[in-house]
Amino acid sequence: MPTATGAPASAGRSRAVRLGRGALAMVLFAVPFVLLGYAVRQKFDPLVHLDNAIADRATDATRAAGAGSALVVLQTVSQPWVLYIVATLVCLWAWLARQLRNRALWAFVTMMVGWNLALDAKLVVQRARPVVDDPISHAPGYSFPSGHAANVAIIATAMVFLLWPLLSEAGRRVLTTVAVVVVLVVGLDRIFLGVHFASDVVAGWILGVGTTFSSWLGFLGRTSPSSSPGPSHPA
């Protein structure tokens, strides 16, 4: 049986391990993101040529398929502020109706931090939007990273972690599959509309998933076992 002094020491070590895991994950995700941002800032020729070629071919494919209107609708409904309103309501529901208070608070704070990280990264890199012939859509602000891609990745992964204990095994597979598909579709929408380069979208995905995953590793274990129950005992 742990002593009175042993329990706090053990808790302190456990907290340090969690924070260390989160910090390590943050570094591992930050490295490719920073390298991409640096290459963009330095106008690295191979990346610039590849991005331009993908943008031209993607927008040509959109026009040929007559898919511009549908992609613009998807662009509108996947605006970050729209998704964050929906995600915040889910957090409130998890907090009030399912008593997942710690998880709900973690998800909300992580999403808000991630949203601001994406905005700050744009101001650091200051990449101009793609310039294509006969543009299909226009978007304001800087291009790197894609805000749509980053924020949908943040929200999707946060919702998976938040709702995980409430679902059966089948439900978890469905939720994870839906999250992956939504993240991919929203990111590709940015490329096929010609409002982001492919590297903007990849960077957004890295930033989004990295932010949530790193935050979760640092958070894991800080709550009591009852805050992460199995699907049959949502507490």
Side-chain angles (χ1 to χ4, degrees), residues 16-99:
V17 169
R18 289 193 304 272
L19 293 176
R21 282 197 307 240
L24 177 59
M26 187 182 304
V27 170
L28 292 176
F29 279 100
V31 168
F33 180 82
V34 170
L35 288 177
L36 266 178
Y38 181 77
V40 167
R41 284 279 295 179
Q42 296 301 312
K43 296 181 171 57
F44 184 55
D45 281 342
L47 179 63
V48 171
H49 292 322
L50 179 61
D51 271 341
N52 285 329
I54 292 174
D56 289 338
R57 292 181 183 179
T59 51
D60 287 345
T62 300
R63 294 187 204 93
S69 297
L71 294 182
V72 169
V73 170
L74 177 57
Q75 171 181 254
T76 301
V77 300
S78 61
Q79 290 283 345
W81 67 268
V82 174
L83 299 181
Y84 278 117
I85 288 176
V86 175
T88 298
L89 292 176
V90 175
C91 290
L92 285 173
W93 171 81
W95 179 300
L96 298 174
R98 306 313 298 262
Q99 288 77 53

Side-chain angles (χ1 to χ4, degrees), residues 84 109-119 150-151 154 207 211:
Y84 278 117
V109 172
T110 298
M111 290 189 298
M112 294 302 101
V113 170
W115 191 1
N116 281 278
L117 283 176
L119 292 173
N151 287 298
I154 292 166
L207 177 63
T211 298

Side-chain angles (χ1 to χ4, degrees), residues 194-211:
V195 294
H196 276 292
F197 294 106
S199 59
D200 300 336
V201 172
V202 172
W205 286 337
I206 294 172
L207 177 63
V209 174
T211 298

Side-chain angles (χ1 to χ4, degrees), residues 185-201:
V185 168
V186 171
L188 292 174
D189 174 77
R190 313 311 291 148
I191 298 171
F192 281 91
L193 279 177
V195 294
H196 276 292
F197 294 106
S199 59
D200 300 336
V201 172

